[in-house]
Amino acid sequence: MKVMKFGGTSVGSPERMKHVSSLITSSGEPVLVVLSAMSGTTNSLIEISDYLYKKNPEGANDVINRLENIYMRHVEELYSTDEWKNETRSFLRGEFDYLRSFTKDLFTSFEEKSIVAQGEIISTNMVNNYLKECGVKTVLLSALDYMRTDKNAEPDSAYIKDKLTKLLEQNQGQQIYITQGFICRNAYGEIDNLQRGGSDYTASLIGAAVNADEIQIWTDIDGMHNNDPRVVDRTEAVRQLHFEEAAELAYFGAKILHPTCVQPAKFAGIPVRLLNTMDPTAPGTIINNETVAGKIKAVAAKDNIIAIKIKSSRMLLATGFLRKVFEIFESYQTPIDMIATSEVGVSMSIDNDAHLNDIVAELKKYGTVTVDRDMCIICVVGDLDWSNVGFETLATDAMKNIPVRMISYGGSNYNISFLVRESDKKRALQSLSDTLFNDKK
């Protein structure tokens, strides 16, 4: 069985819902389909929640009414028979009456999560009804019946596998199994969400739970590109990536994928294929556990980085210094992206400035602190094992005319990273493309 996940833009209109329906039925084999909310819906649901937090039920009802009108118009375009138009209208009325019920009571984060979950519930019901109208053997499996996180807010893999397997056994003989991405229940049975990676994470967890042949992530771009096409000329889709390479690219700026969402697939050894809904015949990108030796695959960039340097003559041979520094960042729940050390100093980069002033104040107890804002991490990904003599030189040569604040190399076999000013980002990315990819053509 394959798992196919479609994002919000892929189901963003009745026309696209029909297109997705043709894609998931074209293989003729049973597939498990994960759908996001229609594009724009989650933002509207968050806006409704914001009004309710501010005790403005009139504002919330106005957004609810506008959203309901949009969906009722979609019904006219999506379905061709009165039976399924009426069926879906009845379902939608129930959904929007449910949303209105929140305007009368106390509103907390628990209610907000229930509201936000309705986007996926609506989209999956609408596509499921359309498939039924087309005569397809399809069943809707509620993610709230099997997708659960534990007390640490991490997916409860054993629970997911057990419950989902039983649901599939109870619904044998279907061609299509549809479920919601993003939403789940927490360890206490309350409606929650997976946060990191959203629907992609759902697809990966499901794929691992059912031991799928392949997990397909359908978006509106032809796979993961070897550089940012919004910034750089002549980019191309990368046809194959190791899971570690994909995670590095995702973490350092490739928006097509969340860095943690493919971890369940990686551990289960299930390939993940990135495909283009708008161009289904394009080969896309396959992500698996295979490494292509001797090849640099792609470049990505992460903006809004802050560099922090602490210099102290007391650090020389002082045991426990780095531990004290890291504990400061840990106490403020601020992860570090890059790090470079010398005998008298250490430089780090972060992407979250929420507690920057407090962190700097704490660091000043141990040395002189300088902060550089508006920085950018440029990440070069591929087979960068240290035994590949000269590979890191290819990347550094491309950066020879770019002022580099920090370099990180050796922490991974798949990555070398450069910290530069954001104002130098475009030049750096283009130079890397020209040197690593375009010069070889």
Side-chain angles (χ1 to χ4, degrees), residues 170-226:
Q170 292 165 11
N171 292 278
Q172 287 183 10
Q174 303 293 325
Q175 182 182 351
I176 307 295
Y177 299 85
I178 293 182
T179 193
Q180 298 88 15
F182 180 60
I183 66 176
C184 64
R185 291 191 187 274
N186 60 27
Y188 309 100
E190 301 154 339
I191 293 178
D192 209 326
N193 57 67
L194 294 173
Q195 298 180 4
R196 301 165 301 176
S199 297
D200 291 347
Y201 203 13
T202 300
S204 189
L205 289 165
I206 288 173
V210 303
N211 194 27
D213 300 320
E214 183 175 279
I215 299 164
Q216 298 180 350
I217 308 293
W218 290 78
T219 65
D220 55 359
I221 187 171
D222 179 21
M224 195 175 285
H225 278 230
N226 60 7

Short mmCIF file of all heavy atoms in Angstrom, two decimals, residues 170-226:
data_model
loop_
_atom_site.label_atom_id
_atom_site.label_comp_id
_atom_site.label_asym_id
_atom_site.label_seq_id
_atom_site.Cartn_x
_atom_site.Cartn_y
_atom_site.Cartn_z
N GLN A 170 -10.92 -3.54 9.87
CA GLN A 170 -12.38 -3.40 9.94
C GLN A 170 -12.97 -2.86 8.64
O GLN A 170 -14.17 -2.98 8.40
CB GLN A 170 -12.75 -2.47 11.09
CG GLN A 170 -12.46 -3.04 12.47
CD GLN A 170 -12.49 -1.98 13.56
OE1 GLN A 170 -12.94 -0.85 13.32
NE2 GLN A 170 -12.04 -2.33 14.76
N ASN A 171 -12.12 -2.25 7.82
CA ASN A 171 -12.61 -1.63 6.57
C ASN A 171 -11.90 -2.22 5.35
O ASN A 171 -11.56 -1.50 4.41
CB ASN A 171 -12.38 -0.12 6.62
CG ASN A 171 -13.25 0.57 7.65
OD1 ASN A 171 -14.41 0.87 7.40
ND2 ASN A 171 -12.69 0.80 8.84
N GLN A 172 -11.70 -3.52 5.36
CA GLN A 172 -11.03 -4.18 4.25
C GLN A 172 -11.87 -4.06 2.96
O GLN A 172 -13.08 -3.91 3.01
CB GLN A 172 -10.80 -5.65 4.57
CG GLN A 172 -9.71 -5.91 5.59
CD GLN A 172 -9.47 -7.39 5.82
OE1 GLN A 172 -10.01 -8.22 5.10
NE2 GLN A 172 -8.68 -7.72 6.83
N GLY A 173 -11.16 -4.13 1.83
CA GLY A 173 -11.86 -4.16 0.54
C GLY A 173 -12.10 -2.80 -0.08
O GLY A 173 -12.71 -2.72 -1.15
N GLN A 174 -11.63 -1.73 0.56
CA GLN A 174 -11.80 -0.39 0.00
C GLN A 174 -10.67 -0.09 -0.98
O GLN A 174 -9.55 -0.60 -0.84
CB GLN A 174 -11.82 0.65 1.11
CG GLN A 174 -12.88 0.44 2.17
CD GLN A 174 -14.29 0.62 1.64
OE1 GLN A 174 -14.52 1.47 0.77
NE2 GLN A 174 -15.23 -0.16 2.16
N GLN A 175 -10.96 0.78 -1.93
CA GLN A 175 -9.91 1.22 -2.86
C GLN A 175 -9.13 2.40 -2.28
O GLN A 175 -7.91 2.49 -2.42
CB GLN A 175 -10.52 1.62 -4.21
CG GLN A 175 -9.48 2.04 -5.25
CD GLN A 175 -10.10 2.48 -6.56
OE1 GLN A 175 -11.30 2.33 -6.78
NE2 GLN A 175 -9.29 3.04 -7.44
N ILE A 176 -9.86 3.30 -1.63
CA ILE A 176 -9.25 4.52 -1.08
C ILE A 176 -9.56 4.62 0.41
O ILE A 176 -10.72 4.46 0.82
CB ILE A 176 -9.77 5.78 -1.80
CG1 ILE A 176 -9.61 5.66 -3.32
CG2 ILE A 176 -9.05 7.02 -1.27
CD1 ILE A 176 -8.19 5.59 -3.81
N TYR A 177 -8.52 4.92 1.19
CA TYR A 177 -8.69 5.22 2.62
C TYR A 177 -8.23 6.66 2.82
O TYR A 177 -7.08 6.99 2.54
CB TYR A 177 -7.85 4.27 3.48
CG TYR A 177 -8.21 2.82 3.32
CD1 TYR A 177 -7.66 2.05 2.29
CD2 TYR A 177 -9.11 2.21 4.19
CE1 TYR A 177 -8.00 0.72 2.13
CE2 TYR A 177 -9.45 0.86 4.05
CZ TYR A 177 -8.90 0.12 3.01
OH TYR A 177 -9.24 -1.20 2.87
N ILE A 178 -9.14 7.51 3.28
CA ILE A 178 -8.83 8.93 3.44
C ILE A 178 -8.75 9.27 4.93
O ILE A 178 -9.57 8.80 5.73
CB ILE A 178 -9.89 9.81 2.75
CG1 ILE A 178 -9.82 9.60 1.24
CG2 ILE A 178 -9.69 11.28 3.08
CD1 ILE A 178 -10.79 10.45 0.47
N THR A 179 -7.77 10.09 5.28
CA THR A 179 -7.64 10.52 6.67
C THR A 179 -7.09 11.94 6.73
O THR A 179 -6.62 12.48 5.72
CB THR A 179 -6.75 9.55 7.47
OG1 THR A 179 -6.88 9.81 8.87
CG2 THR A 179 -5.29 9.68 7.05
N GLN A 180 -7.14 12.52 7.92
CA GLN A 180 -6.70 13.90 8.11
C GLN A 180 -5.22 13.96 8.48
O GLN A 180 -4.72 13.13 9.25
CB GLN A 180 -7.50 14.60 9.23
CG GLN A 180 -8.98 14.71 8.97
CD GLN A 180 -9.77 13.49 9.45
OE1 GLN A 180 -9.27 12.68 10.21
NE2 GLN A 180 -11.01 13.38 9.00
N GLY A 181 -4.53 14.95 7.96
CA GLY A 181 -3.19 15.25 8.42
C GLY A 181 -3.23 16.21 9.58
O GLY A 181 -4.28 16.80 9.87
N PHE A 182 -2.10 16.36 10.28
CA PHE A 182 -1.90 17.42 11.27
C PHE A 182 -2.58 17.15 12.61
O PHE A 182 -1.99 17.32 13.66
CB PHE A 182 -2.37 18.76 10.68
CG PHE A 182 -2.23 19.95 11.58
CD1 PHE A 182 -0.99 20.33 12.06
CD2 PHE A 182 -3.33 20.71 11.93
CE1 PHE A 182 -0.86 21.45 12.89
CE2 PHE A 182 -3.21 21.82 12.76
CZ PHE A 182 -1.97 22.19 13.22
N ILE A 183 -3.84 16.70 12.61
CA ILE A 183 -4.59 16.64 13.86
C ILE A 183 -4.38 15.29 14.55
O ILE A 183 -4.07 14.28 13.94
CB ILE A 183 -6.09 16.91 13.66
CG1 ILE A 183 -6.75 15.81 12.82
CG2 ILE A 183 -6.30 18.27 13.01
CD1 ILE A 183 -8.25 15.99 12.68
N CYS A 184 -4.58 15.29 15.88
CA CYS A 184 -4.41 14.09 16.68
C CYS A 184 -5.09 14.31 18.03
O CYS A 184 -5.73 15.34 18.25
CB CYS A 184 -2.93 13.79 16.89
SG CYS A 184 -2.06 15.05 17.86
N ARG A 185 -4.96 13.34 18.88
CA ARG A 185 -5.31 13.51 20.30
C ARG A 185 -4.03 13.42 21.12
O ARG A 185 -3.09 12.74 20.74
CB ARG A 185 -6.31 12.45 20.76
CG ARG A 185 -7.69 12.61 20.13
CD ARG A 185 -8.71 11.70 20.82
NE ARG A 185 -9.98 11.73 20.12
CZ ARG A 185 -10.93 12.64 20.34
NH1 ARG A 185 -10.74 13.59 21.25
NH2 ARG A 185 -12.07 12.61 19.67
N ASN A 186 -4.03 14.11 22.26
CA ASN A 186 -2.87 13.99 23.13
C ASN A 186 -3.07 12.83 24.11
O ASN A 186 -4.05 12.09 24.04
CB ASN A 186 -2.59 15.31 23.86
CG ASN A 186 -3.77 15.77 24.73
OD1 ASN A 186 -4.56 14.96 25.20
ND2 ASN A 186 -3.87 17.07 24.93
N ALA A 187 -2.14 12.67 25.04
CA ALA A 187 -2.17 11.53 25.97
C ALA A 187 -3.40 11.56 26.87
O ALA A 187 -3.76 10.52 27.47
CB ALA A 187 -0.90 11.53 26.81
N TYR A 188 -4.05 12.71 26.96
CA TYR A 188 -5.23 12.85 27.84
C TYR A 188 -6.54 12.78 27.06
O TYR A 188 -7.61 13.04 27.61
CB TYR A 188 -5.13 14.17 28.61
CG TYR A 188 -3.80 14.32 29.31
CD1 TYR A 188 -2.79 15.11 28.74
CD2 TYR A 188 -3.52 13.64 30.49
CE1 TYR A 188 -1.55 15.22 29.35
CE2 TYR A 188 -2.28 13.75 31.11
CZ TYR A 188 -1.30 14.54 30.53
OH TYR A 188 -0.07 14.63 31.13
N GLY A 189 -6.44 12.47 25.75
CA GLY A 189 -7.64 12.32 24.94
C GLY A 189 -8.16 13.61 24.35
O GLY A 189 -9.20 13.60 23.68
N GLU A 190 -7.46 14.72 24.58
CA GLU A 190 -7.92 16.01 24.07
C GLU A 190 -7.47 16.20 22.62
O GLU A 190 -6.41 15.69 22.22
CB GLU A 190 -7.35 17.15 24.92
CG GLU A 190 -7.75 17.07 26.38
CD GLU A 190 -6.75 17.76 27.30
OE1 GLU A 190 -5.59 17.96 26.88
OE2 GLU A 190 -7.13 18.09 28.42
N ILE A 191 -8.25 16.93 21.82
CA ILE A 191 -7.86 17.22 20.44
C ILE A 191 -6.62 18.09 20.45
O ILE A 191 -6.52 19.08 21.18
CB ILE A 191 -9.00 17.91 19.68
CG1 ILE A 191 -10.18 16.95 19.49
CG2 ILE A 191 -8.51 18.41 18.31
CD1 ILE A 191 -11.37 17.56 18.79
N ASP A 192 -5.63 17.70 19.64
CA ASP A 192 -4.35 18.40 19.61
C ASP A 192 -3.84 18.36 18.18
O ASP A 192 -4.58 17.99 17.26
CB ASP A 192 -3.37 17.70 20.57
CG ASP A 192 -2.35 18.68 21.14
OD1 ASP A 192 -1.95 19.61 20.42
OD2 ASP A 192 -1.94 18.50 22.31
N ASN A 193 -2.58 18.73 17.97
CA ASN A 193 -2.00 18.60 16.64
C ASN A 193 -0.52 18.25 16.74
O ASN A 193 0.09 18.38 17.80
CB ASN A 193 -2.22 19.87 15.81
CG ASN A 193 -1.67 21.11 16.49
OD1 ASN A 193 -0.46 21.25 16.65
ND2 ASN A 193 -2.56 22.01 16.89
N LEU A 194 0.03 17.78 15.62
CA LEU A 194 1.40 17.29 15.59
C LEU A 194 2.44 18.40 15.48
O LEU A 194 3.63 18.15 15.63
CB LEU A 194 1.59 16.32 14.42
CG LEU A 194 0.79 15.02 14.51
CD1 LEU A 194 0.92 14.24 13.21
CD2 LEU A 194 1.27 14.17 15.68
N GLN A 195 1.99 19.61 15.22
CA GLN A 195 2.84 20.79 15.12
C GLN A 195 3.91 20.62 14.05
O GLN A 195 3.70 20.97 12.90
CB GLN A 195 3.47 21.13 16.48
CG GLN A 195 2.43 21.47 17.53
CD GLN A 195 3.02 21.79 18.88
OE1 GLN A 195 4.22 21.84 19.07
NE2 GLN A 195 2.16 22.00 19.87
N ARG A 196 5.07 20.06 14.40
CA ARG A 196 6.20 20.00 13.48
C ARG A 196 5.89 19.16 12.25
O ARG A 196 5.63 17.98 12.35
CB ARG A 196 7.42 19.41 14.19
CG ARG A 196 7.86 20.18 15.41
CD ARG A 196 8.82 19.34 16.23
NE ARG A 196 8.21 18.09 16.65
CZ ARG A 196 8.87 17.14 17.31
NH1 ARG A 196 10.13 17.31 17.62
NH2 ARG A 196 8.26 16.04 17.67
N GLY A 197 5.94 19.79 11.10
CA GLY A 197 5.74 19.03 9.87
C GLY A 197 4.30 18.79 9.49
O GLY A 197 4.01 18.46 8.35
N GLY A 198 3.38 18.95 10.46
CA GLY A 198 1.97 18.85 10.16
C GLY A 198 1.56 17.60 9.43
O GLY A 198 1.79 16.48 9.87
N SER A 199 0.94 17.79 8.27
CA SER A 199 0.40 16.67 7.49
C SER A 199 1.50 15.77 6.94
O SER A 199 1.30 14.57 6.77
CB SER A 199 -0.47 17.20 6.35
OG SER A 199 -1.58 17.89 6.86
N ASP A 200 2.68 16.34 6.64
CA ASP A 200 3.80 15.51 6.19
C ASP A 200 4.20 14.53 7.30
O ASP A 200 4.51 13.36 7.03
CB ASP A 200 5.01 16.38 5.85
CG ASP A 200 4.80 17.22 4.60
OD1 ASP A 200 3.82 16.96 3.88
OD2 ASP A 200 5.60 18.13 4.35
N TYR A 201 4.20 15.00 8.52
CA TYR A 201 4.53 14.16 9.66
C TYR A 201 3.50 13.04 9.80
O TYR A 201 3.84 11.88 10.04
CB TYR A 201 4.57 15.02 10.92
CG TYR A 201 5.40 14.47 12.05
CD1 TYR A 201 6.29 13.42 11.87
CD2 TYR A 201 5.32 15.04 13.32
CE1 TYR A 201 7.06 12.95 12.92
CE2 TYR A 201 6.08 14.57 14.37
CZ TYR A 201 6.96 13.52 14.17
OH TYR A 201 7.72 13.05 15.20
N THR A 202 2.22 13.38 9.63
CA THR A 202 1.16 12.37 9.67
C THR A 202 1.42 11.27 8.64
O THR A 202 1.34 10.08 8.95
CB THR A 202 -0.21 13.00 9.39
OG1 THR A 202 -0.50 14.01 10.37
CG2 THR A 202 -1.32 11.96 9.42
N ALA A 203 1.72 11.67 7.42
CA ALA A 203 1.95 10.70 6.35
C ALA A 203 3.12 9.78 6.68
O ALA A 203 3.07 8.57 6.43
CB ALA A 203 2.20 11.43 5.03
N SER A 204 4.19 10.35 7.24
CA SER A 204 5.35 9.56 7.59
C SER A 204 5.04 8.59 8.72
O SER A 204 5.45 7.42 8.68
CB SER A 204 6.50 10.48 7.98
OG SER A 204 7.71 9.78 8.14
N LEU A 205 4.30 9.03 9.71
CA LEU A 205 3.91 8.16 10.83
C LEU A 205 3.00 7.03 10.34
O LEU A 205 3.15 5.88 10.76
CB LEU A 205 3.20 8.99 11.91
CG LEU A 205 4.07 9.94 12.71
CD1 LEU A 205 3.21 10.94 13.48
CD2 LEU A 205 4.97 9.17 13.68
N ILE A 206 2.07 7.36 9.46
CA ILE A 206 1.16 6.34 8.92
C ILE A 206 1.94 5.33 8.08
O ILE A 206 1.75 4.12 8.18
CB ILE A 206 0.05 7.00 8.08
CG1 ILE A 206 -0.94 7.72 9.00
CG2 ILE A 206 -0.68 5.98 7.21
CD1 ILE A 206 -1.98 8.54 8.26
N GLY A 207 2.84 5.85 7.23
CA GLY A 207 3.63 4.97 6.38
C GLY A 207 4.42 3.97 7.21
O GLY A 207 4.48 2.78 6.88
N ALA A 208 5.02 4.43 8.30
CA ALA A 208 5.78 3.54 9.18
C ALA A 208 4.85 2.55 9.88
O ALA A 208 5.19 1.38 10.04
CB ALA A 208 6.56 4.36 10.21
N ALA A 209 3.66 3.01 10.27
CA ALA A 209 2.72 2.15 11.00
C ALA A 209 2.19 1.00 10.15
O ALA A 209 1.99 -0.11 10.64
CB ALA A 209 1.56 2.99 11.54
N VAL A 210 1.97 1.26 8.86
CA VAL A 210 1.39 0.22 7.98
C VAL A 210 2.46 -0.44 7.11
O VAL A 210 2.13 -1.25 6.25
CB VAL A 210 0.27 0.81 7.10
CG1 VAL A 210 -0.81 1.43 7.95
CG2 VAL A 210 0.82 1.82 6.08
N ASN A 211 3.73 -0.05 7.33
CA ASN A 211 4.84 -0.57 6.52
C ASN A 211 4.56 -0.37 5.03
O ASN A 211 4.60 -1.31 4.22
CB ASN A 211 5.08 -2.06 6.82
CG ASN A 211 6.42 -2.55 6.28
OD1 ASN A 211 7.36 -1.76 6.15
ND2 ASN A 211 6.50 -3.83 5.97
N ALA A 212 4.29 0.87 4.67
CA ALA A 212 3.92 1.22 3.29
C ALA A 212 5.07 0.94 2.32
O ALA A 212 6.25 0.94 2.70
CB ALA A 212 3.53 2.70 3.22
N ASP A 213 4.72 0.72 1.06
CA ASP A 213 5.74 0.56 0.01
C ASP A 213 6.45 1.87 -0.26
O ASP A 213 7.64 1.90 -0.56
CB ASP A 213 5.09 0.06 -1.29
CG ASP A 213 4.39 -1.28 -1.11
OD1 ASP A 213 4.95 -2.13 -0.40
OD2 ASP A 213 3.30 -1.45 -1.67
N GLU A 214 5.69 2.98 -0.15
CA GLU A 214 6.24 4.29 -0.46
C GLU A 214 5.32 5.35 0.14
O GLU A 214 4.11 5.17 0.24
CB GLU A 214 6.33 4.48 -1.97
CG GLU A 214 6.95 5.79 -2.42
CD GLU A 214 7.12 5.85 -3.94
OE1 GLU A 214 8.12 5.28 -4.43
OE2 GLU A 214 6.27 6.45 -4.62
N ILE A 215 5.93 6.46 0.56
CA ILE A 215 5.17 7.62 1.04
C ILE A 215 5.36 8.73 0.03
O ILE A 215 6.49 9.12 -0.26
CB ILE A 215 5.66 8.07 2.43
CG1 ILE A 215 5.48 6.95 3.46
CG2 ILE A 215 4.92 9.33 2.87
CD1 ILE A 215 6.26 7.16 4.74
N GLN A 216 4.26 9.21 -0.52
CA GLN A 216 4.33 10.28 -1.53
C GLN A 216 3.83 11.59 -0.93
O GLN A 216 2.73 11.64 -0.38
CB GLN A 216 3.49 9.91 -2.75
CG GLN A 216 3.97 8.66 -3.46
CD GLN A 216 3.11 8.31 -4.67
OE1 GLN A 216 2.05 8.90 -4.89
NE2 GLN A 216 3.56 7.35 -5.47
N ILE A 217 4.66 12.62 -1.02
CA ILE A 217 4.29 13.97 -0.57
C ILE A 217 4.05 14.82 -1.81
O ILE A 217 4.99 15.14 -2.55
CB ILE A 217 5.39 14.60 0.30
CG1 ILE A 217 5.80 13.67 1.45
CG2 ILE A 217 4.95 15.96 0.83
CD1 ILE A 217 4.76 13.43 2.49
N TRP A 218 2.78 15.16 -2.07
CA TRP A 218 2.43 15.92 -3.27
C TRP A 218 2.32 17.40 -2.91
O TRP A 218 1.57 17.79 -2.01
CB TRP A 218 1.11 15.42 -3.84
CG TRP A 218 1.19 14.05 -4.44
CD1 TRP A 218 1.20 12.86 -3.77
CD2 TRP A 218 1.28 13.72 -5.83
NE1 TRP A 218 1.29 11.81 -4.66
CE2 TRP A 218 1.34 12.31 -5.94
CE3 TRP A 218 1.32 14.48 -7.00
CZ2 TRP A 218 1.42 11.65 -7.16
CZ3 TRP A 218 1.40 13.83 -8.22
CH2 TRP A 218 1.45 12.43 -8.29
N THR A 219 3.08 18.23 -3.63
CA THR A 219 3.06 19.68 -3.40
C THR A 219 2.87 20.38 -4.74
O THR A 219 2.44 19.77 -5.72
CB THR A 219 4.38 20.14 -2.75
OG1 THR A 219 5.46 19.92 -3.67
CG2 THR A 219 4.66 19.36 -1.47
N ASP A 220 3.22 21.66 -4.80
CA ASP A 220 3.06 22.41 -6.04
C ASP A 220 4.41 22.73 -6.68
O ASP A 220 4.54 23.70 -7.43
CB ASP A 220 2.26 23.70 -5.79
CG ASP A 220 2.88 24.57 -4.70
OD1 ASP A 220 3.91 24.15 -4.12
OD2 ASP A 220 2.33 25.65 -4.41
N ILE A 221 5.44 21.92 -6.36
CA ILE A 221 6.74 22.11 -6.98
C ILE A 221 7.34 20.74 -7.32
O ILE A 221 7.03 19.74 -6.65
CB ILE A 221 7.69 22.89 -6.03
CG1 ILE A 221 9.01 23.25 -6.73
CG2 ILE A 221 7.94 22.11 -4.75
CD1 ILE A 221 9.88 24.19 -5.93
N ASP A 222 8.15 20.69 -8.35
CA ASP A 222 8.70 19.42 -8.84
C ASP A 222 9.89 18.98 -7.98
O ASP A 222 11.05 19.08 -8.37
CB ASP A 222 9.15 19.58 -10.30
CG ASP A 222 9.76 18.29 -10.86
OD1 ASP A 222 9.49 17.22 -10.30
OD2 ASP A 222 10.51 18.38 -11.84
N GLY A 223 9.59 18.48 -6.78
CA GLY A 223 10.63 17.96 -5.90
C GLY A 223 11.45 19.04 -5.24
O GLY A 223 11.17 20.24 -5.33
N MET A 224 12.51 18.61 -4.55
CA MET A 224 13.40 19.54 -3.87
C MET A 224 14.48 19.99 -4.84
O MET A 224 15.14 19.18 -5.48
CB MET A 224 14.03 18.85 -2.64
CG MET A 224 14.69 19.81 -1.68
SD MET A 224 15.28 19.00 -0.17
CE MET A 224 13.75 18.72 0.71
N HIS A 225 14.69 21.30 -4.95
CA HIS A 225 15.63 21.85 -5.92
C HIS A 225 17.03 21.95 -5.33
O HIS A 225 17.22 21.94 -4.11
CB HIS A 225 15.16 23.21 -6.41
CG HIS A 225 14.13 23.11 -7.51
ND1 HIS A 225 14.23 23.80 -8.68
CD2 HIS A 225 13.01 22.37 -7.61
CE1 HIS A 225 13.20 23.50 -9.47
NE2 HIS A 225 12.44 22.65 -8.83
N ASN A 226 18.02 22.05 -6.23
CA ASN A 226 19.40 22.11 -5.77
C ASN A 226 19.81 23.49 -5.25
O ASN A 226 20.93 23.68 -4.77
CB ASN A 226 20.38 21.65 -6.86
CG ASN A 226 20.31 22.51 -8.11
OD1 ASN A 226 19.64 23.53 -8.16
ND2 ASN A 226 21.01 22.08 -9.16
#
